[in-house]
Amino acid sequence: MEADKKGTLICVGTGLNLAGQISVLSKSYLEHADVVFSLVSDSFTQNWLESLNQDVRSLQPYYAQEGEVKNRRDTYKQMVEAIIEQVRLGKKVVCALYGHPGVFACVSHFAIAQARDEGYTAQMEPGISAEACLWADIGIDPGASGHQSFEASQFMFYKHTPDPTTHLLLWQIGIAGEHTLTEFHTSSDRLQVLVEQLNEWYPLEHEIVLYEAPNLPTQSPRIDRIVLKNLPFARLSSITTLLIPPSRELEFNHQVLAKLGITAEELG
């Protein structure tokens, strides 16, 4: 169906650090929206959004409240319906999500797909993600040896094979092994299973990094270096990312080099 209806949806990223990591274009969309839906990690960012637009509606209340058990699939469905309802009313709707709106943010993808299916114009504007902050804060160029990136639970549940010559990122390590979509934490037992799994490629004494990007200009990033075997005892939060540096050196592909007429010595 062609997008020819009046209502529109734009999903934008606020970045990780309050007000300083949002693009000029995304900020303009926020200022000129009829309705802004927000899904951000702190009250400071929520207050800043409310300073830009008079109609900002937080999506946080759709999550399970204290004492309530609620599947996150139901939560996301309700969030999407709330967003699309305003689009159907012919409004310019903007959904603001912290970080990058398309990275570990299924609500934006669901809402855009739904809006387009119903014939509305919908798009996404990128934001600065936790991964972008990680490379800058830790001082790593992922182009030097490459990197792999997985959601922690998915890495555990499926037969992924990491390359120990590259950097490995495991996202949402704070809920590693959680499959019910009703909890927001993991356990030391689940993390021990992950350690045993990773030990196939990484020594137990291999240094790993627990990273958390700062949300405010006055904060510093969390960069805690521990050995792999101590992961089950580490303090983790919903925003903790696990970085596993390479445990092996890159190996030359001599067969391909020979076809290219290049020697290993020429590459240094």
Side-chain angles (χ1 to χ4, degrees), residues 75-149:
T75 294
Y76 301 148
K77 183 178 180 180
Q78 292 171 349
M79 289 179 178
V80 170
E81 182 57 32
I83 294 168
I84 298 301
E85 181 181 22
Q86 295 302 307
V87 176
R88 293 183 186 126
L89 293 175
K91 296 182 179 181
K92 292 184 294 185
V93 179
V94 173
C95 184
L97 301 98
Y98 64 91
H100 190 299
V103 179
F104 295 101
C106 62
V107 171
S108 55
H109 289 287
F110 292 160
I112 288 174
Q114 176 92 20
R116 289 175 175 172
D117 284 347
E118 296 187 18
Y120 298 99
T121 297
Q123 68 186 71
M124 181 182 293
E125 290 296 328
I128 293 180
S129 66
E131 181 177 321
C133 294
L134 181 149
W135 302 130
D137 288 335
I138 301 180
I140 296 172
D141 179 358
S145 63
H147 82 281
Q148 293 178 294
S149 180

Side-chain angles (χ1 to χ4, degrees), residues 10 12 24-34 36 53 94 123 125:
I10 300 176
V12 305
V24 173
L25 182 58
S26 292
K27 183 180 178 183
S28 177
Y29 284 135
L30 288 167
E31 292 171 330
H32 295 94
D34 294 322
V36 173
N53 193 290
V94 173
Q123 68 186 71
E125 290 296 328

Side-chain angles (χ1 to χ4, degrees), residues 186-259:
T186 186
S187 67
S188 58
D189 290 341
R190 292 170 181 165
L191 291 171
Q192 182 60 39
V193 172
L194 175 59
V195 168
E196 294 169 3
Q197 182 181 8
L198 289 168
N199 187 220
E200 181 177 347
W201 302 279
Y202 304 94
L204 292 176
E205 297 294 333
H206 185 62
E207 184 179 84
I208 61 177
V209 180
L210 300 175
Y211 172 79
E212 295 176 9
N215 292 323
L216 298 172
T218 55
Q219 296 176 338
S220 298
R222 177 190 179 188
I223 304 174
D224 289 348
R225 301 178 187 275
I226 63 173
V227 294
L228 176 60
K229 68 180 182 180
N230 289 339
L231 178 61
F233 316 106
R235 175 181 59 84
L236 304 177
S237 76
S238 61
I239 63 171
T240 307
T241 298
L242 174 61
L243 166 68
I244 305 181
S247 61
R248 303 178 192 171
E249 297 290 331
L250 289 169
E251 298 179 15
F252 290 109
N253 188 326
H254 293 286
Q255 184 177 5
V256 171
L257 290 180
K259 292 180 179 180

